[in-house]
Amino acid sequence: MKLDFLTLMAVMATNLFAIAAALPLVMGRSVSQAARNVQASMLLQGVAWAAIIASSSVWDQALSTLSMACNAWAQWLLYRALREWLGARPFKRTLLALVCLMPLGYALGFGHYAFRVGWANFLMAAILVIVARATMYPATPSTPADTRWRRTLMLCLLTSAGFTLARGVLGAFTDQYPSFRTPHPVNLAAALATNVSLVLGTVAVLVAWHAEAERKLHRLAMTDGLTGLANRRSFADQGAAMISHAQRHGLPLTALMLDIDYFKQINDTMGHETGDRALQLFGRLLQECHRSGDMVGRLGGEEFGVLLLHNSAPAGTSFDRRLRMRLAEASLSELGFTLDYSAGMAVLGPQDHDLAPLMARADAALYAAKTSGRGRLVAAPAPEV
C-alpha cells in the first residue's frame, strides 16, 4: 500500500472507529459522564476524518464543514471529561466560543480557499492548546500515575496543535497547501504524528478512566451508601489521624456519639422506607452543621459519630443545640413527625493516644443520656490524668 496522506488519514479514521467501538466494551455500561464524553469524542473524531476523506470525492462543502464541526466538538467533549476528572478547568467559555465559531466561519468563508484553511487550522490549533492546558494543575493532589497520563495527553495535544498551526500557515499564506492527491512533508508528518498521538492519547485516557474507577471504589469502601457520610472504617481511620494531629500540636478535640431516639419504633410503625428517609435527613443535617476540619460518620444503624477539631466542650454543646433546632424543624416538614436523638460527649485527654478510649467515654455518656430520658446531651466526666 502506498504511504500517502490519504492512506494515513484512512488508517486514522479506521483506528478511531475501532477505538470508539472498543471503549464501551472495555469500560462497561456503568461508567461516569467523563468516560462517556471520551467515548463520544473518539467517535466524533472518527466521523470527522471519514467526512474529510469523503469530501474529496462528493459534497465537498457539506462534508468538510461536518468534519470541522465534529473535530471541534470532539475536543470540547474531551475538555469536559478533563473537568470531571481534574476539577474546574480554565477558558471554558473561550473554548466553547471557538468550537462554535470554527465550523461556522469555515462554512461562511468556504468560497475563499486561503481564508477557510487558515481559519479552520488556526482556530483548531487554539482549541487543542486550551484542551492541552486543561490537563495541567488538577484541583486535588495527583498521584505519579495521574501525572504521567496528564503529561502524555498534553504532549499529544500540543503535537497535534503544532502541526495544525503549520498547515494553517501553509494554507493561509502560501500556495503550498496540499490536496489529498498531492502530498506535502508537513501533511505527511502531521498524519504520522496524529496516528501516534491517537495511540498514546487513548492509553492516557484509559489510565485516567482506570484511576477514576479506583477512586470510586475507594469512596464506596469508605462511605455509607445511604447517608453519604463516612462509614465506621473511614471514621476510625480519619479519626485516628485527627487524634494524632491534636495530641502532637496540643489542640482541643471533642467527640460526640449520637443515637436517633425510638428508631426501631419508626421502622416498625412507619416502615423501613420512612426509617431510611429519617437516616438520610439526619446525615444531611450533620453534614450541614459541621465545620471544615470536623469529622462526621455513620457508625452503624441509627448511631452516628462526630469529631470537632480545635473545639472544646462548649463547642460540642453549641453543635448539639444547633443540630437539634434544625432537626426539629426539618423532620416535621419533611417526615411529618419530630425526630430527636440522644447524645454523649467527651473531650480529648492527654492519655487518649488513639480514638478508642475517647469514643468509649462518649458512648458511655450516650448510654447515660438514653437511660435518663433520651432527647438530651450528656457530657462524660473529664478523664483522670
Side-chain angles (χ1 to χ4, degrees):
M1 180 182 292
K2 184 180 178 182
L3 188 64
D4 57 17
F5 181 52
L6 189 59
T7 299
L8 289 172
M9 289 180 66
V11 169
M12 187 158 49
T14 302
N15 288 340
L16 282 163
F17 282 123
I19 292 169
L23 282 180
L25 298 177
V26 173
M27 294 178 173
R29 290 185 176 181
S30 301
V31 294
S32 67
Q33 187 59 49
R36 294 192 186 281
N37 284 335
V38 168
Q39 293 172 9
S41 176
M42 291 295 182
L43 179 59
L44 281 175
Q45 289 183 65
V47 172
W49 287 107
I52 201 67
I53 293 170
S55 71
S56 64
S57 302
V58 294
W59 303 332
D60 187 11
Q61 182 172 358
L63 289 176
S64 57
T65 301
L66 174 64
S67 175
M68 300 301 113
C70 288
N71 209 359
W73 197 253
Q75 301 309 317
W76 169 249
L77 291 175
L78 180 56
Y79 176 87
R80 290 183 60 183
L82 291 170
R83 282 175 58 89
E84 294 283 337
W85 285 330
L86 305 177
R89 303 286 88 195
F91 309 116
K92 176 184 175 182
R93 292 182 179 178
T94 302
L95 178 61
L96 186 56
L98 291 174
V99 166
C100 296
L101 289 173
M102 194 272 273
L104 179 62
Y106 182 89
L108 294 176
F110 190 82
H112 194 294
Y113 183 80
F115 171 82
R116 82 174 193 244
V117 169
W119 175 272
N121 283 284
F122 290 152
L123 266 63
M124 179 54 68
I127 289 170
L128 290 167
V129 168
I130 291 175
V131 179
R133 169 59 179 80
T135 64
M136 301 170 62
Y137 309 117
T140 57
S142 61
T143 64
D146 288 335
T147 301
R148 286 192 291 271
W149 76 254
R150 289 190 295 105
R151 288 178 177 173
T152 300
L153 185 57
M154 180 178 65
L155 179 62
C156 293
L157 291 166
L158 290 177
T159 300
S160 295
F163 281 110
T164 301
L165 184 62
R167 287 201 302 267
V169 171
L170 284 176
F173 302 111
T174 75
D175 57 358
Q176 301 179 43
Y177 193 80
S179 68
F180 294 110
R181 305 300 178 185
T182 57
H184 187 281
V186 169
N187 255 9
L188 289 174
L192 285 169
T194 305
N195 271 289
V196 174
S197 296
L198 172 63
V199 175
L200 294 178
T202 302
V203 172
V205 297
L206 283 173
V207 172
W209 164 73
H210 184 263
E212 178 194 30
E214 285 190 336
R215 287 192 295 270
K216 183 177 180 180
L217 287 174
H218 183 264
R219 285 196 300 270
L220 289 173
M222 305 298 282
T223 304
D224 174 60
L226 182 64
T227 64
L229 301 178
N231 61 18
R232 178 180 287 275
R233 175 185 172 186
S234 178
F235 187 87
D237 289 347
Q238 297 185 56
M242 291 176 67
I243 295 288
S244 177
H245 177 76
Q247 292 288 27
R248 186 182 308 115
H249 298 284
L251 302 173
L253 186 146
T254 298
L256 294 98
M257 290 281 287
L258 316 174
D259 189 279
I260 297 176
D261 291 335
Y262 306 109
F263 184 73
K264 185 178 184 303
Q265 183 177 336
I266 294 172
N267 269 338
D268 291 344
T269 59
M270 301 183 185
H272 289 280
E273 182 179 347
T274 301
D276 286 348
R277 289 172 55 210
L279 290 170
Q280 289 171 332
L281 172 63
F282 196 72
R284 191 189 82 217
L285 294 179
L286 277 175
Q287 288 179 317
E288 293 175 358
C289 289
H290 88 286
R291 295 183 172 91
S292 176
D294 297 339
M295 177 73 184
V296 295
R298 183 186 179 196
L299 306 184
E302 66 271 27
E303 193 172 74
F304 297 79
V306 180
L307 294 176
L308 305 175
L309 188 59
H310 301 285
N311 289 297
S312 53
T317 304
S318 176
F319 177 90
D320 174 74
R321 187 184 306 114
R322 188 165 65 250
L323 179 62
R324 283 185 194 279
M325 290 178 59
R326 303 218 25 203
L327 181 63
E329 296 174 0
S331 61
L332 189 59
S333 62
E334 296 184 30
L335 302 177
F337 59 91
T338 301
L339 195 64
D340 205 354
Y341 67 92
S342 302
M345 179 175 69
V347 296
L348 183 69
Q351 80 290 346
D352 294 320
H353 299 296
D354 56 49
L355 187 63
L358 176 66
M359 298 307 293
R361 295 200 307 277
D363 193 44
L366 169 63
Y367 180 77
K370 293 169 70 174
T371 56
S372 60
R374 303 177 189 263
R376 64 194 66 195
L377 170 70
V378 172
E384 297 182 2
V385 180

